[in-house]
């Protein structure tokens, strides 16, 4: 089995390598190719990857290349984890929206749109090259904004699944609080990427006993603290929103906070510098503790589980996992070609969403609103043009005002001319 990682020079990659090394029984990788144009970083990551595999006794060969076509040729799966413009672009995404009193964040709001505009054309080009060099390969997309990027891939006819670590993070936290194994915890996880709610926490699997009311009663304070939301919000909702919902439920508070502290991009850039220094140590043969602060908790396990389900025999039942995939009637108030984030049964034919609880209008309304924004965002990413950018921003529930959309459009285009040929 051959796997290729596009963006293999990311400081995240050792987390992924660690997962491949530790969880190899279900994913018998023989060759792992790390692909990245940043050759110097790539060699650091490649060296560490080989040492991690050696420490764990994994027999796979690790190679590195800046040649995308050669790297993906014959791959069974291609994992895409890109950040076009690097942390410098992320810093801009987190900064200029604040000038208009809006959340500055890299996956939602105006900053998220900027990232989508930079990213979608690049990922589609990569996917077309994968289709030529490895026509049967699955594409696993980690690249944010995952929902919009995955929708672009699926609309273009690629064998693609989007993946995020929010659900597996909740599963692990809830399992610990309930004194259960993660395998015993099934989430009624419903919504869009970075816009989801846990509407049930079931013991044993779909249809099992719903432990969510008791979980909130016993551990609501701890869960609320993790989400930086008041406990009363969870009690009144009766569900657990993802932490990204704080940008909607406490927008003005978040904007004030963001204006008073260093940006996350600046923190991550400093951390990446430290990580690359650690990776250069030829004695290092495991992921360093600092990597846990970089973000992406449990994403290696989610990636391994998904690749194993897509590439393994998996049995006739397939494996259950939260993924980003086509709606196809799962949420009846959305179009079939919307990309939703829900539990699905995954096998070699791809993901099939499970039936989920019908969301209350409080959630369905916001999901519909953001889906409409994603339609317009994807159109702007594919066709360009100031008017399309403005319409997408005006449609976003975190913007929604003419003057705000005008000011944000001007700033977005001014800060992204290097990455948008049409701007």
């Amino acid at each position: 089995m051959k796997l290729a990682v596009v963006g293999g020079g990311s400081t995240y990659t050792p987390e992924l390598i660690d997962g491949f090394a530790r969880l190899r029984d279900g994913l018998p990788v023989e060759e792992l190719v790390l692909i990245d144009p940043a050759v110097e970083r790539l060699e650091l990551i490649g060296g560490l990857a080989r040492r991690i595999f050696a420490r764990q006794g994994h027999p796979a060969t690790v190679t590195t290349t800046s040649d995308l076509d050669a790297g993906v040729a014959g791959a069974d799966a291609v994992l895409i984890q890109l950040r076009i413009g690097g942390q410098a672009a992320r810093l801009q995404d987190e900064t200029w929206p604040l000038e208009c009193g809006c959340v500055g964040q890299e996956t939602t709001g105006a900053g998220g749109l900027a990232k989508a505009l930079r990213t979608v054309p690049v990922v589609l080009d990569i996917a077309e090259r994968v289709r030529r060099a490895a026509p049967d390969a699955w594409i696993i997309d980690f690249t944010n904004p995952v929902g919009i990027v995955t929708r672009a891939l699926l609309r273009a006819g690629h064998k693609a699944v989007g993946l995020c670590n929010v659900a597996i993070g909740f599963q692990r936290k809830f399992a610990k609080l309930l004194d259960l194994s993660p395998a015993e915890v099934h989430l009624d996880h419903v919504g869009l990427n970075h816009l989801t709610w846990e509407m049930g926490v079931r013991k044993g699997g779909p249809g099992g006993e719903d432990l969510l009311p008791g979980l909130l009663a016993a551990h609501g304070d701890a869960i609320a603290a993790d989400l930086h939301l008041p406990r009363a919000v969870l009690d009144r909702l009766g569900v657990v929103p993802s932490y990204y919902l704080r940008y909607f439920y406490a927008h003005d508070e978040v904007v004030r906070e963001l204006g008073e502290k260093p940006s996350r991009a600046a923190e991550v850039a400093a951390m990446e510098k430290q990580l690359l220094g650690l990776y250069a140590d030829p004695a290092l043969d495991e992921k360093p503790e600092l990597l846990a602060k970089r973000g992406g908790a449990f994403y290696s396990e989610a990636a391994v589980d998904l690749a194993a389900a897509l590439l393994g025999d998996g049995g006739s039942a397939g494996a259950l996992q939260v993924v980003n995939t086509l709606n196809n009637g799962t949420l009846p108030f959305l179009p079939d070609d919307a990309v939703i984030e829900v539990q699905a049964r995954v096998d070699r034919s791809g993901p099939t969403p499970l039936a989920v609880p019908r969301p209350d209008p409080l959630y369905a309304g916001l999901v519909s609103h953001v889906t409409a924004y994603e339609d317009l965002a994807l159109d702007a990413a594919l066709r360009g043009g100031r008017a399309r950018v403005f319409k997408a921003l005006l449609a976003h529930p975190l913007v929604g005002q003419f003057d705000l959309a005008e000011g944000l459009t001007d700033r977005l285009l001014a800060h992204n001319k290097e990455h948008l040929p049409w701007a």
Side-chain angles (χ1 to χ4, degrees):
M1 181 183 295
K2 176 180 177 180
L3 300 185
V5 180
V6 180
S10 167
T11 54
Y12 265 139
T13 301
E15 172 72 33
L16 188 61
I17 299 299
D18 179 73
F20 289 147
R22 289 185 299 102
L23 308 170
R24 61 181 179 268
D25 290 344
L27 192 65
V29 179
E30 298 165 293
E31 181 182 2
L32 179 66
V33 184
L34 305 181
I35 306 165
D36 203 294
V39 176
E40 186 175 344
R41 283 175 61 128
L42 185 61
E43 290 309 312
L44 286 180
I45 305 298
L48 177 56
R50 295 183 190 98
R51 296 193 297 273
I52 291 174
F53 272 19
R55 178 189 175 109
Q56 297 286 345
H58 197 296
T61 299
V62 178
T63 59
T64 60
T65 182
S66 57
D67 185 334
L68 175 69
D69 300 297
V72 301
D76 296 284
V78 177
L79 291 72
I80 302 180
Q81 49 174 30
L82 299 178
R83 184 182 296 281
I84 305 303
Q87 293 300 328
R90 177 180 182 173
L91 177 61
Q92 296 296 333
D93 294 344
E94 293 178 349
T95 303
W96 53 261
L98 295 174
E99 297 171 3
C100 297
C102 294
V103 162
Q105 211 277 332
E106 65 161 342
T107 65
T108 193
L113 176 60
K115 193 171 196 299
L117 297 178
R118 294 193 303 267
T119 304
V120 165
V122 175
V123 171
L124 288 178
D125 176 67
I126 291 168
E128 286 299 329
R129 293 163 73 176
V130 170
R131 179 148 49 192
R132 292 194 295 269
D136 295 324
W138 278 101
I139 294 175
I140 298 175
D141 174 52
F142 299 125
T143 301
N144 281 319
V146 166
I148 295 172
V149 173
T150 302
R151 191 169 188 181
L153 288 165
L154 292 171
R155 181 178 289 186
H158 297 290
K159 290 175 60 177
V161 185
L163 187 62
C164 180
N165 71 327
V166 167
I168 194 172
F170 274 133
Q171 182 199 42
R172 298 300 198 267
K173 288 178 184 177
F174 295 165
K176 186 174 182 180
L177 292 172
L178 294 165
D179 197 24
L180 297 171
S181 70
E184 295 177 282
V185 175
H186 175 90
L187 302 179
D188 288 338
H189 180 96
V190 182
L192 310 177
N193 179 242
H194 290 186
L195 194 83
T196 50
W197 297 263
E198 308 309 327
M199 297 188 171
V201 179
R202 302 193 178 275
K203 184 176 181 179
E209 177 189 0
D210 187 6
L211 305 177
L212 181 57
L215 179 69
L216 288 174
H219 303 288
D221 287 342
I223 295 170
D226 281 346
L227 300 173
H228 299 285
L229 288 171
R231 165 72 185 267
V233 172
L234 302 190
D235 291 339
R236 294 176 72 175
L237 295 179
V239 302
V240 179
S242 84
Y243 46 84
Y244 288 93
L245 264 298
R246 188 166 184 259
Y247 297 119
F248 296 83
Y249 293 163
H251 175 274
D252 293 351
E253 180 182 352
V254 171
V255 169
R256 285 194 297 272
E257 291 174 0
L258 292 175
E260 295 170 354
K261 64 180 184 180
S263 72
R264 176 61 178 164
E267 293 175 355
V268 170
M271 201 178 303
E272 285 195 333
K273 187 175 181 179
Q274 295 179 62
L275 285 169
L276 290 170
L278 293 173
Y279 296 166
D281 181 356
L284 184 69
D285 59 2
E286 59 184 342
K287 65 177 183 180
E289 291 184 10
L290 179 62
L291 187 55
K293 298 179 181 179
R294 173 70 176 78
F298 306 114
Y299 112 107
S300 63
E301 286 120 24
V304 171
D305 288 347
L306 179 55
L310 292 170
L311 301 176
D313 55 32
S316 59
L320 297 181
Q321 188 165 3
V322 172
V323 297
N324 285 261
T325 191
L326 290 173
N327 179 42
N328 283 338
T330 306
L331 298 178
F333 54 89
L334 294 183
D336 285 347
D337 68 347
V339 165
I340 59 174
E341 186 172 288
V342 294
Q343 286 275 5
R345 197 170 297 279
V346 185
D347 57 25
R348 294 182 70 90
S349 65
T352 301
L354 302 184
V356 297
R358 185 180 179 92
D360 182 278
L362 178 62
Y363 316 119
L366 185 54
V367 167
S368 297
H369 195 161
V370 174
T371 298
Y373 151 75
E374 290 187 348
D375 287 342
L376 295 167
L378 182 54
D379 186 45
L382 294 174
R383 297 201 289 163
R386 187 187 189 283
R388 295 186 181 94
V389 174
F390 169 80
K391 288 171 67 176
L393 287 168
L394 188 62
H396 200 293
L398 295 181
V399 181
Q401 298 180 61
F402 183 87
D403 288 343
L404 275 180
E406 284 281 15
L408 289 166
T409 299
D410 290 339
R411 287 167 172 80
L412 186 156
L413 296 179
H415 286 287
N416 286 275
K417 287 182 178 179
E418 177 185 353
H419 303 289
L420 305 177
W422 48 266

